[in-house]
Amino acid sequence: MSDARLVHIVRHPVKSLGWQMLERAVLSQGRPLPFDRIFAVATEAAKFEGAPEGWQPKLSFARGAAEGRLMAIRAAFDETTAQITLSHPDLAPFTGTLPEDGPALVDWLRPLWPDSRPALRGLVARRDGGDLTDRPGGRVSLMNLASLRALSERMGMDLSIHRFRGNLWLDGLAPWQEFDLVGRELRIGQTRLRVEAPITRCVATTYDPLTGQADGDTLAALDSGWHHRDLGALASVLDGGEIALGDPVEILT
């Protein structure tokens, strides 16, 4: 048993368009966090027409790395009614039901999207109901608050967890211990997970999620401090079940 506990659960119903904090969730074997990135806004760079078949690369979609102002969007999504509310400091809030109000959501997003990028095409979801995360495989992201604190200390600023768009944040591990856990199994609540690979970070993490403005070169700080650009790790759900804030984290193997 470690001293670590689950302290944040975060989902992102529409890829790159806001984060939502949860108190509990039910994970399923071989699946991502429920309702995490189940929708995305496709651009004219997408190679598919209509609803995509299976996983698609991130270059197909509107994303924070392409326009930092998207990082300041917040989301509230009701999975029972499929109603979503999006807010941004520069826009009036948007409320609609997905996917029916997808065209209205895209219109709401247009003032934030630069003309220099491929034009926004429309809201999409996978035909098989899968996720539209940056990496294929139906995994969750495990994040380590101690690593974030180490990076914050090096940069001399308090970095928000929402720069890194992670799902499950753990506290009580040593800094960068998530990398030592690769290949090992954990129990969190009723679930069992296998840690599989570090997560290499992109320029989206250099934007402040409160303002959407560039504010702190996280990539340069990771490079100079630890000679990598990784923070957090991907994990597969081996046994599903409920997880909740405060659940202990047990390292099994």
Side-chain angles (χ1 to χ4, degrees), residues 11 35 77-83:
R11 71 181 176 194
F35 299 99
F77 181 71
D78 185 329
E79 59 261 34
T80 302
T81 64
Q83 185 177 81

Side-chain angles (χ1 to χ4, degrees), residues 22-218:
L22 304 174
E23 293 186 357
R24 59 187 66 246
V26 177
L27 301 183
S28 298
Q29 181 182 17
R31 302 285 293 176
L33 184 69
F35 299 99
D36 187 58
R37 299 167 171 95
I38 57 168
F39 297 101
V41 175
T43 73
E44 294 299 338
K47 304 300 183 183
F48 56 85
E49 297 291 338
E53 295 275 5
W55 178 85
Q56 299 293 326
K58 62 185 179 181
L59 295 179
S60 302
F61 306 109
R63 61 199 193 283
E67 174 48 64
R69 288 183 295 172
L70 271 59
M71 295 293 289
I73 298 174
R74 295 185 63 170
F77 181 71
D78 185 329
E79 59 261 34
T80 302
T81 64
Q83 185 177 81
I84 193 167
T85 297
L86 301 178
S87 59
H88 187 277
D90 297 333
L91 299 175
F94 167 83
T95 297
T97 301
L98 301 183
E100 293 88 341
D101 292 325
L105 184 156
V106 174
D107 287 341
W108 178 84
L109 182 63
R110 291 188 194 282
L112 300 177
W113 190 246
D115 293 337
S116 59
R117 297 290 184 178
L120 302 177
R121 180 189 296 174
L123 186 78
V124 297
R126 282 173 53 171
R127 295 184 185 182
D128 61 1
D131 63 277
L132 291 164
T133 53
D134 283 356
R135 302 163 186 84
R139 295 170 290 186
V140 299
S141 52
L142 289 178
M143 309 300 297
N144 181 357
L145 272 181
S147 301
L148 182 63
R149 292 190 192 106
L151 181 59
S152 295
E153 182 176 357
R154 180 168 185 84
M155 295 179 65
M157 58 192 299
D158 186 15
L159 298 173
S160 167
I161 65 171
H162 301 300
R163 286 182 184 252
F164 296 92
R165 304 294 175 166
N167 296 138
L168 309 182
W169 283 87
L170 312 182
D171 200 8
L173 298 174
W176 315 112
Q177 189 178 351
E178 65 267 36
F179 306 147
D180 297 333
L181 295 175
V182 170
R184 305 182 71 178
E185 295 180 9
L186 309 178
R187 187 176 304 283
I188 305 175
Q190 299 174 348
T191 70
R192 183 169 60 96
L193 304 98
R194 181 176 59 241
V195 185
E196 295 188 340
I199 301 174
T200 300
R201 294 300 168 176
C202 72
V203 70
T205 64
T206 66
Y207 293 94
D208 185 336
L210 290 180
T211 66
Q213 301 301 310
D215 180 24
D217 193 340
T218 51

